Amino acid sequence: MDIGEALRGAISRFMGRASHDKEAVEELIRDVQRALLTGDVNVELVMQLSDNIRRKVAETKPPPGVSRRDHVFKILYEELVRLLGGVQRPYKPRGKPHVLMVVGIQGSGKTTSVAKLSNYLAKDGYRVGVICADTYRPAALTQLQQLLSDKGITVYGEENTRDPIEIVRRGLEKLKAQALDIVIIDTAGRHKDQDSLMKEMDEIQAAVKPDEVALVLDATIGQRAKSQAEAFNRVAKIGWVLLTKTDTSARAGGALSAVAVTGAPIRFIGTGEHLEDIETFSADRYLARLLGMPDLAGLVERVRLAEMKISEEEAEKMISGRFTLVDMINQLKEVSKMGPLDKLLSMLPLSKAKPIDIEEVQGQVKRWEAIVNSMTHEERRDPSIIDSSRAKRIARGAGVMERDVKQLIKRYNETKKMMRALKRSMGRVPKDLILSGLMRRGVGREALED
Ligand SMILES: Nc1nc2c(ncn2[C@@H]2O[C@H](COP(=O)(O)OP(=O)(O)OP(=O)(O)O)[C@@H](O)[C@H]2O)c(=O)[nH]1
Ligand SMILES: [Mg+2]
């Protein structure tokens, strides 16, 4: 199980509990600890996070209208963001020039990232120079020159010099004369073995004394990120991490560990193969992805923008507890029609904790509709009368299994319970909040409103 899955499981168990008392919080903390430790996050950091959650839950009260469940979730969320290095300020290299050495294992995406970062900073108004200190990879220099040729960025390199230190020395001398703001050094990743690579990195940084060392990590390598980060951090203090290939199906839990191990924050992420595919890292956004919860702020916006067809009357029904199975199916159908909002669906009472696939949801809604259609009028009005023999009959009529019928009834009961809880905690509930309430099982309201 990867760390994202484990965290999702922990949160989903907590959210699904009937009560969110001290015991439930302790259980949540234990589950989160287990998840983080499986992800190789440093034990001390895990303990610190646990203590912070415990303390904040004890010391703060949920604001009016916010349930304890959502309050605890928000505290956990904020602590996880903190673990990921908190909210980053924009990158502002300082120095005349600021010398940034970029290290990383072969194929991690260093050269691509150096080019992306140079271009990014140049667009931001910085005068940027690049030095190619990779004397191992054939055509390393050409790769950089090609990427940056028309961007007004000076690329320094020497085709026939074997010693990277000599190259960097001469390169710095030359580039310093050009009054640049930042010089980025691309280094080798290929080597006969890891020890000799680390030795070379050590020698370069000792000779050059860069202002900062950035580590490039491939997000797809999972837990190996940790040992790589450790190895590099031993030879040069890593200032920040650039996480690449976040666009491919990354089991990105490794990033958490790497960040924890180096104590360095992630500053940038690579999101594709092109020069423009670089973003500043946002712990918020990253965590939303890791947990399979879409961008929360954007979510609210989209919910508002999307014309959700819910009548005043339906809203009334929902909060008054007259929310029937048929109403639920209609709501789900309405929501599952909204293609671009598919991520929203991951918050429906349909999903446990995993992000869900829209076709799967639509299929599920269809099955449930068939089930409701094969119920009698009486059963629809009061599903609690559905015993095993009725469930068998309904299942036969709908062409599904008996357990599908039971599952539908269970979800209906959960949704109803949630509606009641929502009503209790909020008094008069505005219509759009009811809807987002229906859809955001598992998401803190404050986070939603942020
Ligand atoms: N999809 C995707 N591919 C990336 C990203 N960053 C780098 N790559 C690809 O990863 C491969 C390796 O990238 P390089 O930049 O050459 O890696 P390197 O670390 O410089 O490799 P060495 O010089 O051999 O040490 C290339 O095919 C890149 O296109 C990214 O953010 N997303
Ligand atoms: Mg390279």
Side-chain angles (χ1 to χ4, degrees), residues 1-20:
M1 190 169 4
D2 76 9
I3 190 170
E5 243 173 275
L7 282 175
R8 281 199 294 275
I11 291 168
S12 142
R13 264 191 301 285
F14 177 74
M15 293 299 188
R17 285 182 69 130
S19 119
H20 300 90

PDB file of all heavy atoms in Angstrom, residues 1-20:
ATOM      1  N   MET A   1       0.847  -1.191   0.000  1.00  0.00           N
ATOM      2  CA  MET A   1       0.000   0.000   0.000  1.00  0.00           C
ATOM      3  C   MET A   1       0.884   1.243   0.000  1.00  0.00           C
ATOM      4  O   MET A   1       1.839   1.312   0.751  1.00  0.00           O
ATOM      5  CB  MET A   1      -0.882  -0.009   1.250  1.00  0.00           C
ATOM      6  CG  MET A   1      -1.910   1.060   1.162  1.00  0.00           C
ATOM      7  SD  MET A   1      -3.262   1.116   2.340  1.00  0.00           S
ATOM      8  CE  MET A   1      -3.035  -0.143   3.517  1.00  0.00           C
ATOM      9  N   ASP A   2       0.580   2.229  -0.846  1.00  0.00           N
ATOM     10  CA  ASP A   2       1.419   3.420  -0.799  1.00  0.00           C
ATOM     11  C   ASP A   2       0.875   4.407   0.224  1.00  0.00           C
ATOM     12  O   ASP A   2      -0.208   4.246   0.777  1.00  0.00           O
ATOM     13  CB  ASP A   2       1.636   4.038  -2.189  1.00  0.00           C
ATOM     14  CG  ASP A   2       0.427   4.806  -2.693  1.00  0.00           C
ATOM     15  OD1 ASP A   2      -0.514   5.016  -1.918  1.00  0.00           O
ATOM     16  OD2 ASP A   2       0.445   5.201  -3.861  1.00  0.00           O
ATOM     17  N   ILE A   3       1.661   5.415   0.449  1.00  0.00           N
ATOM     18  CA  ILE A   3       1.363   6.333   1.545  1.00  0.00           C
ATOM     19  C   ILE A   3       0.055   7.101   1.309  1.00  0.00           C
ATOM     20  O   ILE A   3      -0.729   7.318   2.239  1.00  0.00           O
ATOM     21  CB  ILE A   3       2.580   7.271   1.745  1.00  0.00           C
ATOM     22  CG1 ILE A   3       2.427   8.068   3.017  1.00  0.00           C
ATOM     23  CG2 ILE A   3       2.779   8.151   0.553  1.00  0.00           C
ATOM     24  CD1 ILE A   3       3.693   8.806   3.368  1.00  0.00           C
ATOM     25  N   GLY A   4      -0.201   7.439   0.056  1.00  0.00           N
ATOM     26  CA  GLY A   4      -1.437   8.148  -0.266  1.00  0.00           C
ATOM     27  C   GLY A   4      -2.655   7.301   0.082  1.00  0.00           C
ATOM     28  O   GLY A   4      -3.600   7.763   0.726  1.00  0.00           O
ATOM     29  N   GLU A   5      -2.589   6.049  -0.336  1.00  0.00           N
ATOM     30  CA  GLU A   5      -3.672   5.119  -0.048  1.00  0.00           C
ATOM     31  C   GLU A   5      -3.878   4.954   1.455  1.00  0.00           C
ATOM     32  O   GLU A   5      -5.010   4.953   1.945  1.00  0.00           O
ATOM     33  CB  GLU A   5      -3.280   3.746  -0.592  1.00  0.00           C
ATOM     34  CG  GLU A   5      -4.143   3.185  -1.679  1.00  0.00           C
ATOM     35  CD  GLU A   5      -3.498   1.905  -2.194  1.00  0.00           C
ATOM     36  OE1 GLU A   5      -2.620   2.006  -3.084  1.00  0.00           O
ATOM     37  OE2 GLU A   5      -3.818   0.838  -1.666  1.00  0.00           O
ATOM     38  N   ALA A   6      -2.756   4.791   2.160  1.00  0.00           N
ATOM     39  CA  ALA A   6      -2.847   4.583   3.605  1.00  0.00           C
ATOM     40  C   ALA A   6      -3.455   5.805   4.297  1.00  0.00           C
ATOM     41  O   ALA A   6      -4.288   5.674   5.194  1.00  0.00           O
ATOM     42  CB  ALA A   6      -1.462   4.278   4.174  1.00  0.00           C
ATOM     43  N   LEU A   7      -3.062   6.979   3.842  1.00  0.00           N
ATOM     44  CA  LEU A   7      -3.629   8.198   4.435  1.00  0.00           C
ATOM     45  C   LEU A   7      -5.110   8.326   4.115  1.00  0.00           C
ATOM     46  O   LEU A   7      -5.920   8.690   4.964  1.00  0.00           O
ATOM     47  CB  LEU A   7      -2.882   9.443   3.926  1.00  0.00           C
ATOM     48  CG  LEU A   7      -1.522   9.730   4.554  1.00  0.00           C
ATOM     49  CD1 LEU A   7      -0.859  10.905   3.855  1.00  0.00           C
ATOM     50  CD2 LEU A   7      -1.655  10.019   6.042  1.00  0.00           C
ATOM     51  N   ARG A   8      -5.433   8.015   2.870  1.00  0.00           N
ATOM     52  CA  ARG A   8      -6.851   8.071   2.475  1.00  0.00           C
ATOM     53  C   ARG A   8      -7.677   7.131   3.350  1.00  0.00           C
ATOM     54  O   ARG A   8      -8.758   7.475   3.809  1.00  0.00           O
ATOM     55  CB  ARG A   8      -7.023   7.662   1.012  1.00  0.00           C
ATOM     56  CG  ARG A   8      -6.682   8.742   0.023  1.00  0.00           C
ATOM     57  CD  ARG A   8      -7.295   8.443  -1.339  1.00  0.00           C
ATOM     58  NE  ARG A   8      -6.735   7.264  -1.987  1.00  0.00           N
ATOM     59  CZ  ARG A   8      -5.635   7.272  -2.710  1.00  0.00           C
ATOM     60  NH1 ARG A   8      -4.957   8.382  -2.877  1.00  0.00           N
ATOM     61  NH2 ARG A   8      -5.212   6.179  -3.286  1.00  0.00           N
ATOM     62  N   GLY A   9      -7.124   5.940   3.574  1.00  0.00           N
ATOM     63  CA  GLY A   9      -7.829   4.967   4.406  1.00  0.00           C
ATOM     64  C   GLY A   9      -8.047   5.501   5.813  1.00  0.00           C
ATOM     65  O   GLY A   9      -9.141   5.399   6.369  1.00  0.00           O
ATOM     66  N   ALA A  10      -6.998   6.095   6.375  1.00  0.00           N
ATOM     67  CA  ALA A  10      -7.076   6.621   7.743  1.00  0.00           C
ATOM     68  C   ALA A  10      -8.165   7.696   7.830  1.00  0.00           C
ATOM     69  O   ALA A  10      -8.995   7.694   8.738  1.00  0.00           O
ATOM     70  CB  ALA A  10      -5.723   7.208   8.148  1.00  0.00           C
ATOM     71  N   ILE A  11      -8.162   8.589   6.859  1.00  0.00           N
ATOM     72  CA  ILE A  11      -9.124   9.688   6.876  1.00  0.00           C
ATOM     73  C   ILE A  11     -10.539   9.170   6.666  1.00  0.00           C
ATOM     74  O   ILE A  11     -11.474   9.565   7.361  1.00  0.00           O
ATOM     75  CB  ILE A  11      -8.750  10.736   5.796  1.00  0.00           C
ATOM     76  CG1 ILE A  11      -7.457  11.433   6.211  1.00  0.00           C
ATOM     77  CG2 ILE A  11      -9.868  11.756   5.603  1.00  0.00           C
ATOM     78  CD1 ILE A  11      -6.829  12.276   5.140  1.00  0.00           C
ATOM     79  N   SER A  12     -10.652   8.241   5.753  1.00  0.00           N
ATOM     80  CA  SER A  12     -11.985   7.727   5.463  1.00  0.00           C
ATOM     81  C   SER A  12     -12.567   6.988   6.675  1.00  0.00           C
ATOM     82  O   SER A  12     -13.753   7.115   6.967  1.00  0.00           O
ATOM     83  CB  SER A  12     -11.899   6.852   4.218  1.00  0.00           C
ATOM     84  OG  SER A  12     -12.711   5.747   4.325  1.00  0.00           O
ATOM     85  N   ARG A  13     -11.726   6.243   7.395  1.00  0.00           N
ATOM     86  CA  ARG A  13     -12.221   5.556   8.599  1.00  0.00           C
ATOM     87  C   ARG A  13     -12.709   6.578   9.618  1.00  0.00           C
ATOM     88  O   ARG A  13     -13.769   6.437  10.207  1.00  0.00           O
ATOM     89  CB  ARG A  13     -11.122   4.686   9.227  1.00  0.00           C
ATOM     90  CG  ARG A  13     -11.203   3.228   8.794  1.00  0.00           C
ATOM     91  CD  ARG A  13     -10.299   2.349   9.625  1.00  0.00           C
ATOM     92  NE  ARG A  13      -8.890   2.743   9.556  1.00  0.00           N
ATOM     93  CZ  ARG A  13      -8.104   2.503   8.513  1.00  0.00           C
ATOM     94  NH1 ARG A  13      -8.566   1.858   7.456  1.00  0.00           N
ATOM     95  NH2 ARG A  13      -6.856   2.883   8.514  1.00  0.00           N
ATOM     96  N   PHE A  14     -11.909   7.630   9.774  1.00  0.00           N
ATOM     97  CA  PHE A  14     -12.280   8.651  10.757  1.00  0.00           C
ATOM     98  C   PHE A  14     -13.591   9.346  10.359  1.00  0.00           C
ATOM     99  O   PHE A  14     -14.508   9.498  11.163  1.00  0.00           O
ATOM    100  CB  PHE A  14     -11.142   9.671  10.877  1.00  0.00           C
ATOM    101  CG  PHE A  14     -11.457  10.803  11.812  1.00  0.00           C
ATOM    102  CD1 PHE A  14     -11.454  10.610  13.182  1.00  0.00           C
ATOM    103  CD2 PHE A  14     -11.767  12.066  11.319  1.00  0.00           C
ATOM    104  CE1 PHE A  14     -11.747  11.655  14.051  1.00  0.00           C
ATOM    105  CE2 PHE A  14     -12.061  13.105  12.176  1.00  0.00           C
ATOM    106  CZ  PHE A  14     -12.055  12.899  13.551  1.00  0.00           C
ATOM    107  N   MET A  15     -13.665   9.726   9.094  1.00  0.00           N
ATOM    108  CA  MET A  15     -14.844  10.447   8.619  1.00  0.00           C
ATOM    109  C   MET A  15     -16.101   9.598   8.748  1.00  0.00           C
ATOM    110  O   MET A  15     -17.185  10.103   8.967  1.00  0.00           O
ATOM    111  CB  MET A  15     -14.658  10.846   7.146  1.00  0.00           C
ATOM    112  CG  MET A  15     -13.579  11.860   6.926  1.00  0.00           C
ATOM    113  SD  MET A  15     -13.949  13.370   7.807  1.00  0.00           S
ATOM    114  CE  MET A  15     -12.679  14.440   7.197  1.00  0.00           C
ATOM    115  N   GLY A  16     -15.929   8.304   8.572  1.00  0.00           N
ATOM    116  CA  GLY A  16     -17.088   7.428   8.570  1.00  0.00           C
ATOM    117  C   GLY A  16     -17.572   7.060   9.961  1.00  0.00           C
ATOM    118  O   GLY A  16     -18.615   6.431  10.109  1.00  0.00           O
ATOM    119  N   ARG A  17     -16.818   7.431  10.967  1.00  0.00           N
ATOM    120  CA  ARG A  17     -17.233   7.040  12.320  1.00  0.00           C
ATOM    121  C   ARG A  17     -18.445   7.833  12.794  1.00  0.00           C
ATOM    122  O   ARG A  17     -18.647   8.976  12.402  1.00  0.00           O
ATOM    123  CB  ARG A  17     -16.075   7.274  13.289  1.00  0.00           C
ATOM    124  CG  ARG A  17     -14.984   6.232  13.153  1.00  0.00           C
ATOM    125  CD  ARG A  17     -13.901   6.474  14.154  1.00  0.00           C
ATOM    126  NE  ARG A  17     -14.379   6.210  15.499  1.00  0.00           N
ATOM    127  CZ  ARG A  17     -13.749   5.451  16.379  1.00  0.00           C
ATOM    128  NH1 ARG A  17     -12.624   4.880  16.047  1.00  0.00           N
ATOM    129  NH2 ARG A  17     -14.235   5.277  17.569  1.00  0.00           N
ATOM    130  N   ALA A  18     -19.205   7.204  13.661  1.00  0.00           N
ATOM    131  CA  ALA A  18     -20.409   7.873  14.145  1.00  0.00           C
ATOM    132  C   ALA A  18     -20.041   8.983  15.124  1.00  0.00           C
ATOM    133  O   ALA A  18     -20.641  10.038  15.145  1.00  0.00           O
ATOM    134  CB  ALA A  18     -21.321   6.857  14.819  1.00  0.00           C
ATOM    135  N   SER A  19     -19.000   8.731  15.935  1.00  0.00           N
ATOM    136  CA  SER A  19     -18.627   9.775  16.876  1.00  0.00           C
ATOM    137  C   SER A  19     -17.165  10.158  16.647  1.00  0.00           C
ATOM    138  O   SER A  19     -16.370   9.353  16.153  1.00  0.00           O
ATOM    139  CB  SER A  19     -18.861   9.283  18.309  1.00  0.00           C
ATOM    140  OG  SER A  19     -17.658   9.263  19.015  1.00  0.00           O
ATOM    141  N   HIS A  20     -16.842  11.387  16.957  1.00  0.00           N
ATOM    142  CA  HIS A  20     -15.469  11.855  16.724  1.00  0.00           C
ATOM    143  C   HIS A  20     -14.857  12.353  18.022  1.00  0.00           C
ATOM    144  O   HIS A  20     -14.305  13.440  18.099  1.00  0.00           O
ATOM    145  CB  HIS A  20     -15.471  12.908  15.621  1.00  0.00           C
ATOM    146  CG  HIS A  20     -16.011  12.360  14.345  1.00  0.00           C
ATOM    147  ND1 HIS A  20     -17.342  12.403  14.017  1.00  0.00           N
ATOM    148  CD2 HIS A  20     -15.405  11.677  13.346  1.00  0.00           C
ATOM    149  CE1 HIS A  20     -17.527  11.788  12.857  1.00  0.00           C
ATOM    150  NE2 HIS A  20     -16.368  11.337  12.432  1.00  0.00           N
TER     151      HIS A  20
END
